[in-house]
mmCIF file of all heavy atoms in Angstrom:
data_model
loop_
_atom_site.group_PDB
_atom_site.id
_atom_site.type_symbol
_atom_site.label_atom_id
_atom_site.label_comp_id
_atom_site.label_asym_id
_atom_site.label_seq_id
_atom_site.Cartn_x
_atom_site.Cartn_y
_atom_site.Cartn_z
ATOM 1 N N TYR A 29 0.876 -1.230 -0.052
ATOM 2 C CA TYR A 29 -0.064 0.041 -0.052
ATOM 3 C C TYR A 29 0.858 1.183 -0.029
ATOM 4 O O TYR A 29 0.860 1.953 0.939
ATOM 5 C CB TYR A 29 -0.927 -0.030 1.173
ATOM 6 C CG TYR A 29 -2.129 -0.907 1.100
ATOM 7 C CD1 TYR A 29 -2.014 -2.217 1.348
ATOM 8 C CD2 TYR A 29 -3.320 -0.290 0.831
ATOM 9 C CE1 TYR A 29 -3.109 -3.015 1.092
ATOM 10 C CE2 TYR A 29 -4.476 -1.111 0.634
ATOM 11 C CZ TYR A 29 -4.301 -2.494 0.830
ATOM 12 O OH TYR A 29 -5.489 -3.372 0.700
ATOM 13 N N PRO A 30 1.555 1.650 -1.054
ATOM 14 C CA PRO A 30 2.395 2.793 -1.136
ATOM 15 C C PRO A 30 1.428 3.916 -1.204
ATOM 16 O O PRO A 30 0.210 3.785 -1.340
ATOM 17 C CB PRO A 30 3.029 2.757 -2.482
ATOM 18 C CG PRO A 30 2.327 1.678 -3.237
ATOM 19 C CD PRO A 30 1.815 0.739 -2.269
ATOM 20 N N TYR A 31 1.869 5.124 -1.135
ATOM 21 C CA TYR A 31 1.045 6.325 -0.841
ATOM 22 C C TYR A 31 0.092 6.507 -2.019
ATOM 23 O O TYR A 31 -1.142 6.740 -1.588
ATOM 24 C CB TYR A 31 1.996 7.652 -0.953
ATOM 25 C CG TYR A 31 1.282 8.841 -0.883
ATOM 26 C CD1 TYR A 31 0.679 9.318 0.376
ATOM 27 C CD2 TYR A 31 0.939 9.657 -2.008
ATOM 28 C CE1 TYR A 31 -0.101 10.624 0.425
ATOM 29 C CE2 TYR A 31 0.336 10.816 -2.069
ATOM 30 C CZ TYR A 31 -0.307 11.305 -0.752
ATOM 31 O OH TYR A 31 -1.021 12.388 -0.703
ATOM 32 N N SER A 32 0.404 6.251 -3.153
ATOM 33 C CA SER A 32 -0.554 6.275 -4.309
ATOM 34 C C SER A 32 -1.767 5.377 -4.129
ATOM 35 O O SER A 32 -2.849 5.691 -4.775
ATOM 36 C CB SER A 32 0.077 6.097 -5.625
ATOM 37 O OG SER A 32 0.522 4.704 -5.647
ATOM 38 N N VAL A 33 -1.679 4.349 -3.355
ATOM 39 C CA VAL A 33 -2.794 3.392 -3.042
ATOM 40 C C VAL A 33 -3.541 3.723 -1.878
ATOM 41 O O VAL A 33 -4.781 3.953 -1.936
ATOM 42 C CB VAL A 33 -2.320 2.005 -3.068
ATOM 43 C CG1 VAL A 33 -3.425 1.101 -2.748
ATOM 44 C CG2 VAL A 33 -1.561 1.546 -4.378
ATOM 45 N N ILE A 34 -2.844 3.898 -0.685
ATOM 46 C CA ILE A 34 -3.524 4.146 0.594
ATOM 47 C C ILE A 34 -4.314 5.347 0.460
ATOM 48 O O ILE A 34 -5.266 5.524 1.278
ATOM 49 C CB ILE A 34 -2.575 4.055 1.668
ATOM 50 C CG1 ILE A 34 -3.228 3.948 3.004
ATOM 51 C CG2 ILE A 34 -1.450 5.154 1.623
ATOM 52 C CD1 ILE A 34 -4.092 2.782 3.241
ATOM 53 N N GLU A 35 -3.869 6.426 -0.243
ATOM 54 C CA GLU A 35 -4.546 7.696 -0.356
ATOM 55 C C GLU A 35 -6.008 7.418 -0.824
ATOM 56 O O GLU A 35 -6.829 8.273 -0.448
ATOM 57 C CB GLU A 35 -3.733 8.571 -1.173
ATOM 58 C CG GLU A 35 -4.314 9.988 -1.077
ATOM 59 C CD GLU A 35 -4.163 10.773 0.297
ATOM 60 O OE1 GLU A 35 -3.477 10.199 1.063
ATOM 61 O OE2 GLU A 35 -4.630 11.892 0.360
ATOM 62 N N ASN A 36 -6.187 6.508 -1.563
ATOM 63 C CA ASN A 36 -7.421 6.404 -2.267
ATOM 64 C C ASN A 36 -8.172 5.183 -1.915
ATOM 65 O O ASN A 36 -9.459 4.971 -2.039
ATOM 66 C CB ASN A 36 -7.363 6.332 -3.821
ATOM 67 C CG ASN A 36 -6.618 7.667 -4.231
ATOM 68 O OD1 ASN A 36 -7.202 8.750 -4.105
ATOM 69 N ND2 ASN A 36 -5.506 7.532 -4.983
ATOM 70 N N VAL A 37 -7.487 4.187 -1.182
ATOM 71 C CA VAL A 37 -8.190 2.892 -0.743
ATOM 72 C C VAL A 37 -7.955 2.563 0.588
ATOM 73 O O VAL A 37 -6.778 2.464 1.028
ATOM 74 C CB VAL A 37 -7.567 1.709 -1.746
ATOM 75 C CG1 VAL A 37 -8.217 0.409 -1.261
ATOM 76 C CG2 VAL A 37 -7.737 1.995 -3.165
ATOM 77 N N PRO A 38 -9.050 2.647 1.355
ATOM 78 C CA PRO A 38 -8.777 2.310 2.811
ATOM 79 C C PRO A 38 -8.405 0.824 3.033
ATOM 80 O O PRO A 38 -8.670 0.011 2.201
ATOM 81 C CB PRO A 38 -10.287 2.561 3.452
ATOM 82 C CG PRO A 38 -11.175 2.205 2.255
ATOM 83 C CD PRO A 38 -10.491 2.747 0.972
ATOM 84 N N PHE A 39 -7.515 0.652 4.145
ATOM 85 C CA PHE A 39 -7.045 -0.638 4.363
ATOM 86 C C PHE A 39 -8.044 -1.386 5.237
ATOM 87 O O PHE A 39 -8.336 -1.066 6.425
ATOM 88 C CB PHE A 39 -5.820 -0.362 5.281
ATOM 89 C CG PHE A 39 -5.098 -1.783 5.412
ATOM 90 C CD1 PHE A 39 -4.513 -2.489 4.370
ATOM 91 C CD2 PHE A 39 -5.065 -2.364 6.780
ATOM 92 C CE1 PHE A 39 -3.896 -3.808 4.582
ATOM 93 C CE2 PHE A 39 -4.259 -3.552 6.926
ATOM 94 C CZ PHE A 39 -3.859 -4.171 5.806
ATOM 95 N N GLU A 40 -8.863 -2.286 4.790
ATOM 96 C CA GLU A 40 -9.927 -2.928 5.370
ATOM 97 C C GLU A 40 -9.667 -3.798 6.427
ATOM 98 O O GLU A 40 -10.523 -4.095 7.311
ATOM 99 C CB GLU A 40 -10.827 -3.714 4.320
ATOM 100 C CG GLU A 40 -11.362 -2.716 3.183
ATOM 101 C CD GLU A 40 -12.243 -3.546 2.256
ATOM 102 O OE1 GLU A 40 -12.276 -4.749 2.317
ATOM 103 O OE2 GLU A 40 -12.922 -2.949 1.272
ATOM 104 N N MET A 41 -8.390 -4.187 6.629
ATOM 105 C CA MET A 41 -7.984 -5.197 7.699
ATOM 106 C C MET A 41 -7.544 -4.397 8.960
ATOM 107 O O MET A 41 -7.082 -4.892 9.833
ATOM 108 C CB MET A 41 -6.884 -5.976 7.242
ATOM 109 C CG MET A 41 -6.780 -7.389 8.058
ATOM 110 S SD MET A 41 -5.847 -8.648 7.019
ATOM 111 C CE MET A 41 -4.177 -7.888 6.936
ATOM 112 N N LYS A 42 -7.626 -3.053 8.890
ATOM 113 C CA LYS A 42 -7.284 -2.257 10.107
ATOM 114 C C LYS A 42 -8.093 -2.630 11.297
ATOM 115 O O LYS A 42 -9.349 -2.710 11.230
ATOM 116 C CB LYS A 42 -7.482 -0.805 9.711
ATOM 117 C CG LYS A 42 -7.209 0.121 10.952
ATOM 118 C CD LYS A 42 -7.457 1.656 10.662
ATOM 119 C CE LYS A 42 -7.167 2.515 11.713
ATOM 120 N NZ LYS A 42 -7.359 4.060 11.418
ATOM 121 N N GLY A 43 -7.394 -3.057 12.360
ATOM 122 C CA GLY A 43 -8.066 -3.464 13.511
ATOM 123 C C GLY A 43 -8.397 -4.956 13.618
ATOM 124 O O GLY A 43 -9.033 -5.411 14.622
ATOM 125 N N ARG A 44 -8.025 -5.576 12.530
ATOM 126 C CA ARG A 44 -8.576 -7.011 12.419
ATOM 127 C C ARG A 44 -7.496 -7.907 11.898
ATOM 128 O O ARG A 44 -7.722 -8.999 11.410
ATOM 129 C CB ARG A 44 -9.801 -7.090 11.385
ATOM 130 C CG ARG A 44 -11.014 -6.333 11.907
ATOM 131 C CD ARG A 44 -12.157 -6.683 11.137
ATOM 132 N NE ARG A 44 -12.206 -6.325 9.780
ATOM 133 C CZ ARG A 44 -12.540 -5.186 9.359
ATOM 134 N NH1 ARG A 44 -13.208 -4.363 10.110
ATOM 135 N NH2 ARG A 44 -12.536 -4.829 8.085
ATOM 136 N N TRP A 45 -6.202 -7.529 12.100
ATOM 137 C CA TRP A 45 -5.099 -8.360 11.638
ATOM 138 C C TRP A 45 -5.162 -9.673 12.410
ATOM 139 O O TRP A 45 -4.906 -10.683 11.724
ATOM 140 C CB TRP A 45 -3.802 -7.682 12.091
ATOM 141 C CG TRP A 45 -3.280 -6.637 11.141
ATOM 142 C CD1 TRP A 45 -3.722 -5.321 11.249
ATOM 143 C CD2 TRP A 45 -2.478 -6.651 10.079
ATOM 144 N NE1 TRP A 45 -3.036 -4.583 10.316
ATOM 145 C CE2 TRP A 45 -2.302 -5.415 9.475
ATOM 146 C CE3 TRP A 45 -1.779 -7.822 9.439
ATOM 147 C CZ2 TRP A 45 -1.532 -5.104 8.397
ATOM 148 C CZ3 TRP A 45 -0.910 -7.575 8.402
ATOM 149 C CH2 TRP A 45 -0.888 -6.156 7.719
ATOM 150 N N ARG A 46 -5.430 -9.803 13.612
ATOM 151 C CA ARG A 46 -5.462 -11.112 14.273
ATOM 152 C C ARG A 46 -6.585 -12.046 13.779
ATOM 153 O O ARG A 46 -6.258 -13.127 13.471
ATOM 154 C CB ARG A 46 -5.676 -10.972 15.721
ATOM 155 C CG ARG A 46 -4.520 -10.381 16.567
ATOM 156 C CD ARG A 46 -4.903 -10.182 18.029
ATOM 157 N NE ARG A 46 -3.853 -9.558 18.813
ATOM 158 C CZ ARG A 46 -3.677 -8.500 19.033
ATOM 159 N NH1 ARG A 46 -4.458 -7.537 18.301
ATOM 160 N NH2 ARG A 46 -2.648 -7.788 19.691
ATOM 161 N N ASP A 47 -7.739 -11.536 13.465
ATOM 162 C CA ASP A 47 -8.770 -12.305 12.952
ATOM 163 C C ASP A 47 -8.694 -12.708 11.600
ATOM 164 O O ASP A 47 -8.964 -13.820 11.150
ATOM 165 C CB ASP A 47 -10.152 -11.545 13.311
ATOM 166 C CG ASP A 47 -10.465 -11.450 14.733
ATOM 167 O OD1 ASP A 47 -10.021 -12.311 15.411
ATOM 168 O OD2 ASP A 47 -11.213 -10.505 15.058
ATOM 169 N N GLU A 48 -8.237 -11.837 10.689
ATOM 170 C CA GLU A 48 -8.360 -12.112 9.389
ATOM 171 C C GLU A 48 -6.974 -12.502 8.754
ATOM 172 O O GLU A 48 -6.942 -13.109 7.556
ATOM 173 C CB GLU A 48 -8.737 -10.804 8.711
ATOM 174 C CG GLU A 48 -10.217 -10.313 9.130
ATOM 175 C CD GLU A 48 -10.744 -9.122 8.294
ATOM 176 O OE1 GLU A 48 -10.109 -8.761 7.264
ATOM 177 O OE2 GLU A 48 -11.870 -8.578 8.597
ATOM 178 N N TYR A 49 -5.770 -12.212 9.329
ATOM 179 C CA TYR A 49 -4.711 -12.616 8.896
ATOM 180 C C TYR A 49 -4.052 -13.826 9.650
ATOM 181 O O TYR A 49 -3.691 -14.893 9.191
ATOM 182 C CB TYR A 49 -3.601 -11.589 8.525
ATOM 183 C CG TYR A 49 -2.362 -12.156 7.977
ATOM 184 C CD1 TYR A 49 -2.230 -12.473 6.654
ATOM 185 C CD2 TYR A 49 -1.119 -12.258 8.826
ATOM 186 C CE1 TYR A 49 -1.124 -13.110 6.103
ATOM 187 C CE2 TYR A 49 -0.047 -12.927 8.299
ATOM 188 C CZ TYR A 49 0.008 -13.262 7.008
ATOM 189 O OH TYR A 49 1.296 -13.732 6.452
ATOM 190 N N PHE A 50 -3.738 -13.460 10.886
ATOM 191 C CA PHE A 50 -2.983 -14.378 11.840
ATOM 192 C C PHE A 50 -3.925 -15.520 12.323
ATOM 193 O O PHE A 50 -3.370 -16.568 12.605
ATOM 194 C CB PHE A 50 -2.285 -13.670 13.008
ATOM 195 C CG PHE A 50 -1.214 -12.698 12.570
ATOM 196 C CD1 PHE A 50 -1.296 -11.346 12.665
ATOM 197 C CD2 PHE A 50 -0.081 -13.180 12.010
ATOM 198 C CE1 PHE A 50 -0.358 -10.511 12.266
ATOM 199 C CE2 PHE A 50 0.981 -12.461 11.626
ATOM 200 C CZ PHE A 50 0.817 -10.922 11.667
ATOM 201 N N HIS A 51 -5.112 -15.275 12.471
ATOM 202 C CA HIS A 51 -6.087 -16.169 12.848
ATOM 203 C C HIS A 51 -5.795 -16.737 14.314
ATOM 204 O O HIS A 51 -5.722 -17.967 14.604
ATOM 205 C CB HIS A 51 -6.154 -17.449 12.024
ATOM 206 C CG HIS A 51 -6.608 -17.143 10.514
ATOM 207 N ND1 HIS A 51 -7.770 -16.469 10.159
ATOM 208 C CD2 HIS A 51 -5.841 -17.080 9.523
ATOM 209 C CE1 HIS A 51 -7.678 -16.204 8.936
ATOM 210 N NE2 HIS A 51 -6.618 -16.519 8.447
ATOM 211 N N ASN A 52 -5.403 -15.821 15.100
ATOM 212 C CA ASN A 52 -4.994 -16.142 16.483
ATOM 213 C C ASN A 52 -5.154 -14.758 17.434
ATOM 214 O O ASN A 52 -5.473 -13.709 16.669
ATOM 215 C CB ASN A 52 -3.753 -16.738 16.792
ATOM 216 C CG ASN A 52 -2.496 -15.868 16.331
ATOM 217 O OD1 ASN A 52 -2.495 -14.702 16.753
ATOM 218 N ND2 ASN A 52 -1.610 -16.336 15.537
ATOM 219 N N GLN A 53 -5.041 -14.767 18.628
ATOM 220 C CA GLN A 53 -5.325 -13.545 19.408
ATOM 221 C C GLN A 53 -3.874 -13.268 20.073
ATOM 222 O O GLN A 53 -3.847 -12.730 21.243
ATOM 223 C CB GLN A 53 -6.273 -13.767 20.563
ATOM 224 C CG GLN A 53 -7.693 -13.914 19.897
ATOM 225 C CD GLN A 53 -8.060 -12.803 18.989
ATOM 226 O OE1 GLN A 53 -8.003 -11.599 19.399
ATOM 227 N NE2 GLN A 53 -8.439 -13.057 17.714
ATOM 228 N N ASN A 54 -2.810 -13.716 19.495
ATOM 229 C CA ASN A 54 -1.459 -13.523 20.054
ATOM 230 C C ASN A 54 -1.146 -11.878 19.834
ATOM 231 O O ASN A 54 -1.572 -11.277 19.016
ATOM 232 C CB ASN A 54 -0.355 -14.287 19.326
ATOM 233 C CG ASN A 54 -0.626 -15.748 19.652
ATOM 234 O OD1 ASN A 54 -1.316 -16.149 20.655
ATOM 235 N ND2 ASN A 54 -0.199 -16.571 18.723
ATOM 236 N N PRO A 55 -0.006 -11.449 20.758
ATOM 237 C CA PRO A 55 0.261 -10.030 20.557
ATOM 238 C C PRO A 55 0.927 -9.781 19.254
ATOM 239 O O PRO A 55 1.398 -10.684 18.477
ATOM 240 C CB PRO A 55 1.398 -9.883 21.690
ATOM 241 C CG PRO A 55 1.236 -11.073 22.592
ATOM 242 C CD PRO A 55 0.567 -12.194 21.711
ATOM 243 N N ILE A 56 0.823 -8.543 18.768
ATOM 244 C CA ILE A 56 1.481 -8.134 17.448
ATOM 245 C C ILE A 56 2.579 -7.173 17.762
ATOM 246 O O ILE A 56 2.548 -6.156 18.548
ATOM 247 C CB ILE A 56 0.402 -7.351 16.668
ATOM 248 C CG1 ILE A 56 -0.666 -8.381 16.158
ATOM 249 C CG2 ILE A 56 1.075 -6.641 15.425
ATOM 250 C CD1 ILE A 56 -1.858 -7.795 15.271
ATOM 251 N N VAL A 57 3.777 -7.324 17.104
ATOM 252 C CA VAL A 57 4.938 -6.586 17.353
ATOM 253 C C VAL A 57 5.359 -6.085 15.758
ATOM 254 O O VAL A 57 5.291 -6.944 14.828
ATOM 255 C CB VAL A 57 6.118 -7.410 17.862
ATOM 256 C CG1 VAL A 57 7.445 -6.578 17.800
ATOM 257 C CG2 VAL A 57 5.725 -7.811 19.199
ATOM 258 N N LEU A 58 5.580 -4.822 15.710
ATOM 259 C CA LEU A 58 5.980 -4.099 14.446
ATOM 260 C C LEU A 58 7.442 -3.885 14.269
ATOM 261 O O LEU A 58 8.009 -3.517 15.426
ATOM 262 C CB LEU A 58 5.286 -2.800 14.145
ATOM 263 C CG LEU A 58 3.654 -2.792 14.249
ATOM 264 C CD1 LEU A 58 3.255 -1.354 13.734
ATOM 265 C CD2 LEU A 58 3.121 -3.891 13.371
ATOM 266 N N GLU A 59 8.141 -4.147 13.163
ATOM 267 C CA GLU A 59 9.421 -3.684 12.842
ATOM 268 C C GLU A 59 9.312 -2.522 11.864
ATOM 269 O O GLU A 59 8.879 -2.888 10.786
ATOM 270 C CB GLU A 59 10.394 -4.649 12.402
ATOM 271 C CG GLU A 59 11.823 -4.127 12.303
ATOM 272 C CD GLU A 59 12.746 -5.042 11.601
ATOM 273 O OE1 GLU A 59 12.284 -6.146 11.042
ATOM 274 O OE2 GLU A 59 13.936 -4.677 11.387
ATOM 275 N N LEU A 60 9.573 -1.349 12.149
ATOM 276 C CA LEU A 60 9.374 -0.197 11.247
ATOM 277 C C LEU A 60 10.624 0.138 10.625
ATOM 278 O O LEU A 60 11.732 0.309 11.248
ATOM 279 C CB LEU A 60 8.824 1.042 12.069
ATOM 280 C CG LEU A 60 7.468 0.852 12.669
ATOM 281 C CD1 LEU A 60 7.021 2.103 13.351
ATOM 282 C CD2 LEU A 60 6.387 0.349 11.769
ATOM 283 N N GLY A 61 10.722 0.130 9.337
ATOM 284 C CA GLY A 61 12.009 0.217 8.393
ATOM 285 C C GLY A 61 12.665 -1.038 8.575
ATOM 286 O O GLY A 61 13.828 -1.166 8.881
ATOM 287 N N CYS A 62 12.002 -2.148 8.229
ATOM 288 C CA CYS A 62 12.480 -3.485 8.370
ATOM 289 C C CYS A 62 13.535 -3.940 7.422
ATOM 290 O O CYS A 62 14.132 -4.930 7.525
ATOM 291 C CB CYS A 62 11.332 -4.501 8.357
ATOM 292 S SG CYS A 62 10.518 -4.730 6.798
#
């Protein structure tokens, strides 16, 4: 989702990463600038 995409298309999985991608309720850790 580079700028040209996210500016026009909302990210539908916001707030639902555990349910819709990971399929668990475990903690989420981000690495920014990975």
